[in-house]
């Protein structure tokens, strides 16, 4: 299908320009004023609208087996919901069980993702360590286009990575030219605080944030940053939820360290009062880690985004129905952790970011797609409206208004944590690989149309880092 997007204003991270955009063969073929539609093209009237790179959500968990159940949005429904909200690519996570062969887990996730309707890629979690993991990391990098490895510093007794795993994996990632990422929470502290709260009779969702205070996150963020500093490997800290972890990132960046920070749209907008809701289902629906925080943290996170110390926005989309959350009815430690958001990220960020003057439109593009594409090395194929880039585009109507609701969302879950929020600005058309997949409120998607996206390593830059790391090694004592 050829698609000509006519009469809009193209917004990239670096500039805005009035131009038509021609999509041909799945890529952007031409950009300019007064473009003529080739015979048989579909024309999208973008008058009064903005033409932007489709969103990239760098942190999702579709159909994740987690805490005794499976996340309810699978790769089909979850990527479709993303397209309805203007997100055209996800980076999900392969999460092997401890001792599970990493390549087996990778193949399993690739198979699950075959039903995706939008493009996708995978970070791979390192949840244990031995020589096979060391070898498999190389196979993933060299043969499967994986350039990022994830480490959960929480979830003790399950997928938690201790310092030994962190040091081994960070060292290996640098050798291979890959970036490392962390879920920063001190898993031991969380575990012990959970036990204590439960023994004190605090068994409901209100105990969840008490078991994971900001200091628990800050300690882990700081530890990961310092380990990465010693080993000289670039680090990306996922879902920063509090002022203290932002401060750790800001400090490191000011010292010249290559550290990146992600913020979830939920952490920007929702506070911890949700855990004290009298209805268990409502409170449990918000149980995720790190938890929603007191309001002062939201203000800090917005400042982090505005200042550029946080570079990406994500959702950590990982949803569970109320009957799945009910597993923790009598014990908050058993409530499956995770919330949905892929469908609403772009419109919420536009409304609360661009609509309030916190972000320019160019900055909006930067934090919803371009920075993720650059950090994970798929730019300018993704995250850019430029000739030759994938035709993953959102046509954005700044005047569209809607009230977010579980009754109208496409996410496969019976609750929406943004329920009742009214937003101005939203996707009128989403184009994926040059095809119109969402228009006038309707999805038109094809199961399996999404492609796996290879992400190459950062070779020349890493060569310099490796030389530095070598020079920094302690000199052996001469006899
Ligand atoms: O609560 C969350 N965030 N669930 C998904 C797994 C993770 O920690 O990212
Ligand atoms: Zn996490
Ligand atoms: Zn996550």
């Amino acid at each position: 299908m050829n698609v000509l997007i006519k009469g809009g204003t193209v917004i990239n991270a670096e500039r805005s320009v009035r131009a038509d955009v021609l999509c041909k063969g799945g890529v952007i073929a031409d950009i300019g004023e007064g473009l003529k539609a080739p015979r048989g093209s579909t024309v999208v009237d973008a008058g009064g609208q903005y033409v932007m790179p489709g969103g990239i959500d760098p942190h999702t968990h579709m159909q994740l087996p987690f805490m005794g159940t499976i996340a309810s949005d699978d790769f089909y429904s979850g990527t479709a919901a993303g397209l309805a909200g203007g997100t055209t690519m996800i980076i999900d996570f392969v999460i092997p069980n401890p001792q599970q062969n990493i390549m087996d887990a990778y193949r399993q996730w690739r198979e699950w993702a075959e039903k995706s309707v939008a493009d996708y890629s995978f970070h791979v979690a390192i949840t244990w360590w031995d020589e096979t993991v060391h070898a498999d990391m190389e196979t993933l990098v060299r043969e499967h286009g994986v350039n990022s490895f994830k480490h959960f510093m929480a979830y003790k007794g399950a997928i938690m990575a201790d310092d030994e795993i962190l040091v081994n994996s960070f060292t290996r990632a640098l050798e291979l030219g890959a970036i490392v990422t962390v879920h920063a929470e001190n898993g031991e502290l969380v575990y012990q605080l959970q036990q204590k709260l439960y023994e004190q009779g605090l068994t409901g969702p209100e105990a969840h944030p008490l078991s994971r205070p900001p200091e628990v996150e800050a300690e882990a963020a700081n530890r990961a940053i310092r380990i990465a500093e010693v080993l000289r490997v670039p680090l990306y800290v996922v879902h920063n939820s509090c002022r203290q972890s932002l401060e750790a990132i800001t400090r490191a960046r000011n010292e010249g360290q290559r550290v990146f920070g992600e913020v979830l749209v939920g952490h920007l907008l929702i506070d911890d009062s949700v855990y004290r809701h009298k209805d268990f289902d409502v409170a449990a629906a918000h149980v995720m880690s790190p938890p929603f925080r007191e309001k002062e943290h939201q203000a800090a996170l917005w400042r982090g985004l505005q200042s550029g110390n946080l570079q990406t926005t994500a959702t950590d989309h990982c949803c569970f129905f109320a009957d799945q959350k009910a597993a923790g009815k009598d014990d908050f430690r058993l409530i499956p952790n995770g919330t949905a958001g892929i469908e609403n990220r772009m419109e919420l960020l536009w409304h609360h970011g661009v609509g309030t003057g916190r972000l320019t439109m160019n900055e909006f593009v930067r934090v919803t797609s371009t920075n993720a594409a650059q950090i994970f090395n798929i730019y300018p194929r993704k995250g850019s409206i430029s000739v030759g880039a994938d035709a993953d585009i959102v046509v954005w109507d700044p005047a569209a208004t809607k009230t977010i609701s579980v009754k109208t969302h496409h996410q496969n879950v019976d609750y929406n944590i943004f329920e009742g929020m009214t937003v101005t600005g939203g996707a009128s058309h989403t184009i994926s690989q040059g095809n119109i997949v969402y228009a006038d409120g309707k999805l038109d998607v094809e199961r399996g149309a999404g492609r796996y996206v290879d992400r190459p390593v950062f070779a020349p830059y890493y060569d310099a880092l490796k030389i530095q790391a070598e020079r920094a090694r302690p000199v052996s004592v001469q006899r």
Side-chain angles (χ1 to χ4, degrees):
M1 186 200 283
N2 291 342
V3 175
L4 180 64
I5 307 167
K6 247 195 131 33
T9 302
V10 172
I11 315 288
N12 272 311
E14 65 280 5
R15 68 181 187 131
S16 312
V17 58
R18 283 291 295 267
D20 304 335
V21 177
L22 178 64
C23 310
K24 228 172 157 178
V27 298
I28 297 174
D30 205 356
I31 302 171
E33 284 198 80
L35 296 185
K36 297 269 170 291
R39 193 194 302 258
S41 309
T42 304
V43 177
V44 172
D45 177 6
Q49 303 193 65
Y50 300 115
V51 181
M52 303 189 284
I56 299 173
D57 190 334
H59 187 160
T60 64
H61 303 278
M62 304 305 172
Q63 67 189 84
L64 174 69
F66 194 49
M67 295 183 72
T69 186
I70 298 175
S72 57
D73 251 326
D74 66 15
F75 281 91
Y76 174 77
S77 60
T79 50
L83 291 175
T87 288
T88 51
M89 180 175 172
I90 61 168
I91 313 183
D92 207 277
F93 294 81
V94 172
I95 307 182
N97 288 318
Q99 312 307 318
Q100 183 185 11
N101 178 277
I102 305 226
M103 297 310 301
D104 286 349
Y106 172 77
R107 280 185 283 270
Q108 175 67 84
W109 257 268
R110 285 290 302 265
E111 192 191 318
W112 285 338
E114 277 170 14
K115 53 179 140 352
S116 297
V117 298
D119 285 358
Y120 56 92
S121 194
F122 286 114
H123 311 281
V124 175
I126 301 302
T127 52
W128 62 294
W129 192 260
D130 78 352
E131 278 313 304
T132 67
V133 179
H134 181 270
D136 289 344
M137 284 175 76
E138 179 162 20
T139 308
L140 288 165
V141 166
R142 302 225 187 282
E143 296 174 25
H144 299 279
V146 171
N147 70 14
S148 52
F149 292 97
K150 168 77 177 283
H151 307 80
F152 289 90
M153 298 170 79
Y155 307 122
K156 179 181 154 132
I159 52 177
M160 182 171 105
D162 61 14
D163 285 0
E164 185 181 355
I165 298 176
L166 294 181
V167 172
N168 283 328
S169 175
F170 283 21
T171 304
R172 183 65 171 146
L174 175 66
E175 279 167 14
L176 297 169
I179 189 168
V180 294
T181 82
V182 289
H183 166 136
E185 284 185 304
N186 182 313
E188 184 62 37
L189 272 173
V190 171
Y191 175 75
Q192 301 230 7
L193 287 170
Q194 282 180 329
Q195 309 306 98
K196 205 163 145 200
L197 287 158
Y198 187 77
E199 280 158 20
Q200 286 170 353
L202 279 162
T203 59
E206 71 282 3
H208 177 68
L210 304 177
S211 69
R212 316 178 94 101
E215 294 73 17
V216 161
E217 182 178 339
E219 185 283 324
N222 208 52
R223 180 157 38 102
I225 288 169
R226 292 307 175 198
I227 294 173
E229 181 188 20
V230 170
L231 301 175
R232 307 204 173 208
V233 61
L235 170 71
Y236 176 95
V237 184
V238 308
H239 54 36
N240 291 278
S241 72
C242 63
R243 175 178 53 74
Q244 292 88 332
S245 68
L246 168 63
E247 282 169 1
I249 290 172
T250 305
R251 199 163 46 238
R253 289 176 65 83
N254 287 342
E255 288 167 2
Q257 198 181 335
R258 200 162 184 81
V259 178
F260 302 104
E262 169 193 280
V263 63
L264 307 184
V265 66
H267 284 135
L268 288 167
L269 298 175
I270 294 171
D271 68 67
D272 62 349
S273 59
V274 292
Y275 299 116
R276 296 184 288 278
H277 200 284
K278 57 185 180 339
D279 182 343
F280 170 85
D281 288 348
V282 174
H286 291 89
V287 167
M288 67 157 302
S289 298
F292 298 114
R293 304 288 189 195
E294 288 173 18
K295 280 195 194 311
E296 63 139 322
H297 296 283
Q298 293 162 33
L301 295 173
W302 275 111
R303 286 196 296 274
L305 206 52
Q306 289 174 279
S307 64
N309 284 311
L310 299 175
Q311 297 76 32
T312 61
T313 57
T315 58
D316 198 1
H317 186 87
C318 182
C319 46
F320 302 98
F321 277 85
D323 60 2
Q324 295 175 283
K325 292 270 184 179
K329 189 97 188 144
D330 303 317
D331 182 348
F332 73 94
R333 297 169 297 180
L334 304 179
I335 301 170
N337 284 207
T339 55
I342 192 167
E343 187 164 351
N344 307 119
R345 176 182 67 126
M346 301 279 281
E347 59 205 15
L348 285 164
L349 277 162
W350 180 274
H351 181 89
H352 292 278
V354 180
T356 57
R358 285 172 168 133
L359 301 174
T360 66
M361 292 189 287
N362 307 92
E363 286 164 348
F364 170 83
V365 168
R366 203 167 288 153
V367 301
T368 55
S369 67
T370 309
N371 282 348
Q374 291 182 338
I375 292 168
F376 294 112
N377 214 19
I378 44 174
Y379 182 86
R381 174 179 174 190
K382 304 286 187 187
S384 148
I385 303 284
S386 56
V387 173
D390 282 357
D392 281 5
I393 297 171
V394 60
V395 181
W396 197 261
D397 180 355
T401 157
K402 92 176 200 205
T403 300
I404 295 170
S405 176
V406 67
K407 294 194 191 98
T408 46
H409 76 194
H410 298 81
Q411 300 168 144
N412 184 38
V413 64
D414 54 0
Y415 193 80
N416 190 312
I417 58 170
F418 306 109
E419 184 75 28
M421 292 189 189
T422 298
V423 287
T424 301
S428 71
H429 298 74
T430 307
I431 295 167
S432 170
Q433 301 175 44
N435 298 311
I436 300 172
V437 288
Y438 178 77
D440 306 320
K442 287 194 186 61
L443 276 168
D444 180 11
V445 296
E446 188 192 331
R447 194 178 178 88
R451 300 165 301 183
Y452 176 74
V453 176
D454 275 313
R455 294 178 295 118
V457 295
F458 309 83
Y461 173 70
Y462 271 65
D463 289 344
L465 285 180
K466 279 181 252 177
I467 292 166
Q468 279 180 31
E470 198 53 49
R471 283 196 192 130
R473 257 186 214 132
V475 183
S476 59
V477 179
Q478 302 287 321
R479 286 172 191 271

